[in-house]
Amino acid sequence: EVQLVESGGGLVQPGGSLRLSCAASGFTFSSYWMSWVRQAPGKGLEWVANIKQDGSEKYYVDSVKGRFTISRDNAKNSLYLQMNSLRAEDTAVYYCARDRYQLLGYYMDVWGKGTTVTVSS
Amino acid sequence: EIVLTQSPGTLSLSPGERATLSCRASQSVSSSYLAWYQQKPGQAPRLLIYGASSRATGIPDRFSGSGSGTDFTLTISRLEPEDFAVYYCQQYGSSPLYSFGQGTKLEIK
C-alpha cells in the first residue's frame, strides 16, 4: 500500500525550531519529487516546498524562504522539513505529498494524514 | 503569480442533484497544470482530477472536469452523501510552484 506518514509536529514558541519527518512506503521513493503542503486552522491549502528526486533542486513559497529547509534521505525513504524562526502564522497542519510530473498533468497524487504544528507562547 | 478564484464559496444542494464548481485563473493556465482535490473534515486532500479532465485512480465517473485557458469546472453529475466536502482547484506555475484556490464548500441542503 502506498503510504506517507508525517511526524514531528508539536507546540513551539515563536522563534523556535522544529523538524518534520515523512516516512514513505509502498513505492520507489527515490523516483519522485516530493512536497510539503500546509493548512492553517479553518483555512485553505498552501504549498510550502518541494524537492527533486536526488535533492539537487528545491523550491519554496516566498513566505518560508530562508527559514525552512526541505531535504530527503532516499536510503531511509524519508522526507524532512526543518523549520526555523517559526512564527504564529506558521501554525498549521503540515502534509507530505508525492508530486507527479507527467505529460498529462502536474499534481500531487498521494498525501499523508498530516502533522500539526502550533507556534504559540 | 497566478491567482485561482473558486465560486461559489458555498454550494447547498441535495443528494441526487448536479453540482457545478468553478475555478477561474487570473492568467491562462495550461490544462495539464490544473487539478482538483476533495477534502473532508479532519482528512487529507484527495486527488480527483488532473490535467483538467482526467480522473484519478479510483474516482467515480460521476466526477468530471473540463475547461481551458482561465475557466475550469468540476462537475459532479449526481451527488452522493459522501460527496459533501470542500473542493480545491490547484495549478502548477512558476512562483509559487503550486497554488490553490480558496475552496468551495459543498454542503447538504
Side-chain angles (χ1 to χ4, degrees), chain A residues 8-20 38 67-68 81-92 94 115-121:
Chain A
L11 174 63
V12 61
Q13 291 188 339
S17 298
L18 212 54
R19 189 197 196 205
L20 306 184
R38 67 184 178 182
R67 300 189 300 123
F68 290 12
L81 187 67
Q82 177 66 43
M83 303 186 296
N84 299 330
S85 303
L86 282 161
R87 306 167 180 167
E89 54 264 36
D90 296 317
T91 294
Y94 284 73
T115 187
T116 300
V117 172
T118 303
V119 184
S120 175
S121 55

Side-chain angles (χ1 to χ4, degrees), chain A residues 47-107:
Chain A
W47 172 81
V48 174
N50 75 345
I51 184 169
K52 194 177 179 179
Q53 291 92 329
D54 62 0
S56 62
E57 292 182 39
K58 305 174 184 182
Y59 299 93
Y60 300 90
V61 68
D62 284 349
S63 59
V64 308
K65 283 180 183 175
R67 300 189 300 123
F68 290 12
T69 302
I70 189 172
S71 63
R72 65 192 298 162
D73 184 336
N74 288 339
K76 295 183 178 180
N77 291 332
S78 293
L79 177 71
Y80 305 102
L81 187 67
Q82 177 66 43
M83 303 186 296
N84 299 330
S85 303
L86 282 161
R87 306 167 180 167
E89 54 264 36
D90 296 317
T91 294
V93 175
Y94 284 73
Y95 297 101
C96 166
R98 186 175 78 174
D99 290 7
R100 297 302 301 275
Y101 293 153
Q102 300 180 307
L103 189 62
L104 287 179
Y106 287 25
Y107 51 93

Side-chain angles (χ1 to χ4, degrees), chain A residues 35 37 39 43-47 50 59 61-62 95 99 101-109 111-113, chain B residues 31-35 37 39 43-47 50-51 54 88 90 92 95-102:
Chain A
S35 277
V37 177
Q39 186 170 36
K43 302 298 185 183
L45 301 168
E46 180 183 39
W47 172 81
N50 75 345
Y59 299 93
V61 68
D62 284 349
Y95 297 101
D99 290 7
Y101 293 153
Q102 300 180 307
L103 189 62
L104 287 179
Y106 287 25
Y107 51 93
M108 290 171 271
D109 68 338
W111 296 65
K113 295 186 187 312
Chain B
S31 295
S32 296
Y33 296 168
L34 199 288
Y37 300 84
Q39 188 179 34
Q43 296 186 17
R46 177 174 74 142
L47 175 69
Y50 64 92
S54 297
Y88 294 95
Q90 166 249 302
Y92 173 90
S95 182
L97 212 53
Y98 292 100
S99 60
F100 292 88
Q102 83 280 16

